[in-house]
Amino acid sequence: MMIKRLVFLILICCVSAFAKAQNDSIQIRKIYDEALNNGNSYEWLSYLSNQIGSRLSGSLGAEQAVNWTKEQLDSIGLDKVWLQPVMVPKWVRGVPEYAFIETDLGKTTQVPICALGGSVATPNGGVKAPVIEVQSIEEIERLGAANIGGKIVFFNRPMQADVIDTFKAYGGCVDQRYGGAEAAAAYGAVGVIVRSVTHSLDDYPHTGSMSYGDLKPAQRIPAAAISTNGAELLSTLLKLNPKTKFFFSMSCKNLQDVQSYNVIGEITGSEFPNRYMVVGGHLDSWDLGDGSHDDGAGVVQSMEVLRIMKAINYKPRHSIRVVLFMNEENGLRGGRKYAEVAKNKREKHVFALESDAGGFTPRGFSFDTDDRNFDEILSWKPLFEPYFIHYFVRGGSGADIGPLKGDGTVLAGLRPDSQRYFDHHHAANDTFDAVNKRELELGAATMTGLIYMMDNYIQKPGKLMTLPIKD
């Protein structure tokens, strides 16, 4: 009798698990159907990119984006929508930059450059000096002041072409952009030129954040990115004539901090209203293009997650928030402010998902979590495989949600195909025409599917988190 009862209980569990899997499959199918047939993400992105445009922190575009996205979240019938104040840096580019290579007196070739975000301007009239080409910050330290002093340092280490994960290739050379000026100034350089961080050979210089560390204002030197074609030309000319000089002029400046906002919308949870799940992207962008991939795509995909839930009449167990973070690009003030407020209010965040890798075809997710959580998440792969979502790996999540790490919070990042992302990243060609409608919608659906699964299984005892049933 005991054996029969045990067999019966096992059969009941198997039937129950099968029924849940079937229901999950149906719900995820509804999510994809809604995103692909009735999606708003592409229309939203068109307005954000084409009508508002670039959204550098502290700019008019950023202010307009805050007001417009709040209006859109209000329009989809969320339970709460609000603005969270945050002070942000205000850096302005000024008049367009100008640069040329001088191989001999009167023989010059103009090349495309752009100031790195946060750089100081050149002196009035620009800077012209001999150039020394290096491959790393460590090389500067080996060369020392005797070789660096009075020169423009040209960092020319490219993204490694044989690294398949382009974000790892990016991480392998971005230190020269971020810390190159600080290192070069310490040895008496008068300026820094950095090869744009992209695999593509083109005429688009790619901007990005940089830091002077602890350097006093008087010690800071101007720093610019040069297009990859320009970098190839400069490197070739230096080999032919080591006395080649470089001239560049920039009028950028840092102004006083200004107030901006994170934009937040919420669907209140039906069972656990005081436990929060976040989906988001950063609302600010660099000023060269319109920020469609970085990170307009992530913004509208995150908004779409909550719209889809409303459209299919899904009532989440947890409170689901969309957070459009301000100032990821040059300060991360929005992400830090959100985490600070959450901590002060003692809000319990159980999951956060960020989309900040472009609007290309989704491949899966990376997760910042422990082994037990990750093993559970891996069991969901069969539900996503019909949509060609197969990439479930341990790794980083997103810069804006990083400050939420701790206390058992599971973090994740959407991982689209990245092979073309750095062709557009931080450059003037990061524009709406570079985004494919279907790819963008698939990303939004994939994010919604993951939120759905986390919402239904994150509270299960012995599964993701053993949490009390009552708040």
Side-chain angles (χ1 to χ4, degrees):
M1 182 64 68
M2 290 287 292
I3 295 176
K4 288 183 178 179
R5 182 174 297 176
L6 180 60
V7 170
F8 178 75
L9 289 174
I10 291 173
L11 287 173
I12 290 294
C13 289
C14 289
V15 170
S16 176
F18 179 77
K20 287 179 180 178
Q22 285 290 99
N23 181 66
D24 292 338
S25 179
I26 291 169
Q27 286 293 334
I28 291 174
R29 178 73 260 180
K30 287 181 180 178
I31 286 167
Y32 274 87
D33 287 349
E34 174 62 26
L36 295 173
N37 290 322
N38 306 305
N40 271 18
S41 58
Y42 194 68
E43 179 182 345
W44 277 334
L45 184 61
S46 177
Y47 190 94
L48 189 65
S49 300
N50 296 321
Q51 301 303 315
I52 295 177
S54 66
R55 305 170 297 281
L56 189 60
S57 292
S59 69
L60 176 60
E63 180 181 350
Q64 292 174 334
V66 165
N67 294 330
W68 180 78
T69 50
K70 182 180 182 299
E71 289 175 2
Q72 300 312 302
L73 292 178
D74 279 327
S75 73
I76 60 178
L78 304 182
D79 296 317
K80 301 176 186 176
V81 179
W82 71 99
L83 301 181
Q84 185 178 75
V86 55
M87 296 299 291
V88 299
K90 184 176 177 66
W91 176 84
V92 295
R93 185 173 299 280
V95 300
E97 303 88 340
Y98 178 74
F100 62 76
I101 303 167
E102 183 181 85
T103 52
D104 202 351
L105 189 62
K107 293 184 178 180
T108 63
T109 304
Q110 187 176 343
V111 288
I113 68 161
C114 67
L116 294 179
S119 176
V120 298
T122 59
N124 290 335
V127 171
K128 184 166 74 170
V131 182
I132 182 166
E133 180 179 345
V134 299
Q135 297 294 310
S136 67
I137 291 174
E138 292 74 21
E139 188 175 349
I140 285 182
E141 296 169 351
R142 290 195 300 270
L143 289 169
N147 295 294
I148 300 296
K151 294 180 181 177
I152 293 172
V153 174
F154 169 39
F155 287 94
N156 193 33
R157 184 166 85 254
M159 285 181 70
Q160 194 172 338
D162 58 355
V163 175
I164 304 303
D165 183 342
T166 60
F167 279 88
K168 289 182 179 178
Y170 175 78
C173 63
V174 75
D175 64 319
Q176 57 192 347
R177 187 197 76 198
Y178 188 77
E182 179 187 4
Y187 292 96
V190 297
V192 162
I193 300 295
V194 182
R195 182 190 183 98
S196 288
V197 190
T198 174
H199 284 121
S200 181
L201 285 173
D202 57 33
D203 293 318
Y204 293 105
H206 293 233
T207 191
S209 61
M210 53 85 64
S211 172
Y212 290 110
D214 296 326
L215 291 179
K216 296 178 181 178
Q219 298 173 301
R220 297 175 182 180
I221 59 177
I226 185 172
S227 71
T228 48
N229 280 343
E232 293 287 295
L233 177 62
L234 179 56
S235 182
T236 299
L237 294 176
L238 282 169
K239 290 178 176 63
L240 294 173
N241 179 10
K243 294 183 179 181
T244 293
K245 294 183 178 181
F246 193 86
F247 169 88
F248 68 119
S249 176
M250 308 192 305
S251 61
C252 48
K253 64 175 66 174
N254 290 284
L255 304 175
Q256 290 185 342
D257 289 358
V258 298
Q259 183 170 288
S260 188
Y261 302 90
N262 292 329
V263 184
I264 307 173
E266 178 181 306
I267 300 175
T268 303
S270 59
E271 294 182 46
F272 306 104
N274 296 323
R275 299 189 185 278
Y276 301 94
M277 304 176 72
V278 165
V279 58
H282 64 85
L283 191 51
D284 62 306
S285 75
W286 285 109
D287 56 322
L288 298 179
D290 58 47
S292 287
H293 275 298
D294 188 20
D295 184 31
V299 164
V300 299
Q301 286 173 330
S302 299
M303 294 166 63
E304 180 76 343
V305 169
L306 272 68
R307 189 205 66 80
I308 290 171
M309 287 183 169
K310 296 289 291 184
I312 66 173
N313 199 31
Y314 176 71
K315 301 185 186 307
R317 300 168 67 233
H318 303 79
S319 290
I320 312 293
R321 284 180 180 170
V322 55
V323 184
L324 310 180
F325 299 94
M326 184 55 68
N327 184 232
E328 186 271 349
E329 292 292 8
N330 60 335
L332 206 65
R333 302 273 187 92
R336 289 171 179 158
K337 173 57 72 170
Y338 181 82
E340 175 191 330
V341 172
K343 182 178 180 181
N344 291 340
K345 290 184 175 181
R346 297 185 177 182
E347 293 178 341
K348 175 63 180 178
H349 283 71
V350 296
F351 179 60
L353 168 62
E354 185 164 355
S355 172
D356 186 18
F360 297 102
T361 302
R363 299 299 187 199
F365 305 92
S366 59
F367 296 90
D368 186 353
T369 186
D370 59 23
D371 290 338
R372 184 165 61 92
N373 293 337
F374 187 60
D375 288 343
E376 169 66 19
I377 292 166
L378 285 178
S379 71
W380 305 342
K381 285 182 71 174
L383 292 167
F384 288 90
E385 285 173 351
Y387 310 98
F388 302 130
I389 303 301
H390 61 276
Y391 187 74
F392 287 66
V393 298
R394 297 281 292 277
S397 53
D400 291 298
I401 62 175
L404 291 171
K405 185 174 181 177
D407 196 26
T409 307
V410 178
L411 305 179
L414 178 69
R415 291 293 169 255
D417 188 294
S418 71
Q419 301 309 315
R420 291 174 288 149
Y421 179 63
F422 290 100
D423 293 354
H424 306 275
H425 184 251
H426 296 177
N429 63 341
D430 184 4
T431 50
F432 180 71
D433 60 291
V435 178
N436 177 274
K437 179 177 184 290
R438 187 171 179 83
E439 290 179 328
L440 184 73
E441 292 169 344
L442 286 168
T446 301
M447 293 166 66
T448 312
L450 182 64
I451 292 285
Y452 163 80
M453 293 299 295
M454 298 298 286
D455 182 50
N456 279 277
Y457 295 101
I458 199 167
Q459 293 276 0
K460 296 293 184 180
K463 298 292 184 180
L464 285 180
M465 290 184 187
T466 304
L467 296 176
I469 297 301
K470 296 180 180 179
D471 286 335

